[in-house]
Amino acid sequence: PKPPQASARMSAAMRDALRRLASRATVAVVSGRAREKIREFVDLGDLYYAGSHGFDIDGPGSLRHSVSAEIIPVLAAARDALRRSLAHVAGASVEDNRFSVSVHWRKCAPRRDAIERVVDDVLASPPFAGALRKSEGKCVFELRPDADIRLVEDPTSIAGAIEEESS
C-alpha cells in the first residue's frame, strides 16, 4: 500500500483556481514536502515553489535558492536510521523531503508515543544532536536543519527572494 503522503491529489477545481489567481498576482506555493514533489503535485508553471518549509525555493526564470544544503547528508543519514528503527512498526513511514525528513504515524496512532521516542533517540545521537530539530504536525514528526531562517518563520519573506531575483 502507498504511504498516505503518496495518495495526496490536487483537484482540478483547485488547480484552476490557482491558475486564475496566478494570472492576476504572484503566487508562491509553500509546503513541507520536497520542492520537486510539490511542483509535480501542483503542476503549474510560472508559480514560485518553496519546499521543505522554505529551505528550497525555485520559480520562473532562473530563481533557485537553497538554505543549509550542507545538511543534506545528515538528513539522509537520519532518514536511514529512522527507517531501520521503525521498520517493525506497521503503518509508520519515513518520507525524504530533501531538506527535511517526515515520520508519518497516522496509520499507527496508538504507537505515537513509541514512535516519538525513536525519533527523539535518533535526534539525541551524533551527528544529529544539535544539527537537526523536531517539529510536529498533524500525525507527523518532522526533522529539519536547526537553522534560523526567515523563510521558515515568515513565509511572506519569500517575496524578498522573488524581488532579489527580479532585480
Side-chain angles (χ1 to χ4, degrees), residues 54-132:
F55 280 93
D56 190 19
I57 301 169
D58 78 2
S62 60
L63 176 65
R64 192 75 178 85
H65 180 74
S66 297
V67 177
S68 299
E70 67 280 356
I71 201 76
I72 291 174
V74 176
L75 284 160
R79 174 204 63 212
D80 294 344
L82 288 163
R83 284 182 176 162
R84 282 190 304 274
S85 297
L86 295 170
H88 69 283
V89 181
S93 65
V94 178
E95 180 182 13
D96 184 343
N97 294 310
R98 189 157 187 243
F99 285 88
S100 65
V101 175
S102 300
V103 178
H104 297 272
W105 50 269
R106 176 184 314 274
K107 292 187 173 183
C108 54
R111 308 269 329 260
R112 179 214 176 276
D113 291 344
I115 292 168
E116 184 171 28
R117 280 192 297 278
V118 168
V119 171
D120 290 344
D121 287 348
V122 167
L123 274 177
S125 64
F128 315 117
L132 304 177

